[in-house]
Amino acid sequence: MLCGQTPPEAFATATGFAPAEGAAAVALDRRAGPWRLVAGVRLGDAGHETHFIDPATLRTALEGLWEALPDPDLIICHATGTAAGDAYELAGLSHGPWHAAPRITCKPWIGHTLGASGVVELTAALHSPARHLWKLSLGFGGHLIAVACQRE
């Protein structure tokens, strides 16, 4: 699944939301396996319909991931390519003990696959050499989901 439009650019110069199609499925749990789910964080920010307002929402999620699995080898960013979303996410990622962790943005290649982009990005990252990874997903209506996974 590749983005058929002009690919969105995230964090550098926000070029906007690019809808695309894609699907993935991942089954992770706390039991031993190739990958183990270490933590999941679910939070909300009802400050705006399409973007996050309260910096504490993302900060709380990142602190929860840090407590469960510190020093990630890789953070898979949500990185929509929208000015407000990118500024919010980049501010949270840049301030905390996780600030130097390597980051990857997938939407320049896959676009925004609506409900599936988070799991598509996580699936790709599970094939990376990382041993400890975090995945962030920020959705319309202020839904924030983040997971920490560890390669066994």
Side-chain angles (χ1 to χ4, degrees):
M1 71 225 95
L2 299 176
C3 184
Q5 299 182 12
T6 302
E9 180 67 36
F11 298 142
T13 303
T15 56
F17 188 88
E21 295 182 39
V26 176
L28 296 169
D29 64 28
R30 294 189 177 276
R31 294 176 292 187
W35 282 93
R36 184 172 63 87
L37 178 65
V38 176
V41 177
R42 295 175 304 277
L43 296 168
D45 176 353
H48 193 273
E49 297 83 15
T50 62
H51 62 268
F52 286 72
I53 302 292
D54 187 355
T57 307
L58 181 55
R59 176 82 186 184
T60 300
L62 293 168
E63 288 171 349
L65 296 179
W66 185 266
E67 184 177 319
L69 188 65
D71 295 315
D73 300 326
L74 182 64
I75 298 175
I76 306 103
C77 302
H78 186 72
T80 61
T82 62
D86 287 357
Y88 178 85
E89 189 175 10
L90 193 55
L93 289 168
S94 298
H95 298 95
W98 48 79
H99 75 278
R103 303 173 196 154
I104 187 170
T105 60
C106 297
K107 287 180 187 65
W109 298 282
I110 69 169
H112 203 104
T113 56
L114 299 177
S117 63
V119 74
V120 169
E121 293 163 342
L122 177 59
T123 301
L126 294 175
H127 293 282
S128 77
R131 297 192 55 77
H132 299 149
L133 63 84
W134 296 357
K135 170 64 185 118
L136 306 176
S137 288
L138 291 76
F140 287 136
H143 303 287
L144 186 153
I145 306 235
V147 295
C149 301
Q150 179 175 343
R151 187 186 301 269
E152 292 292 307

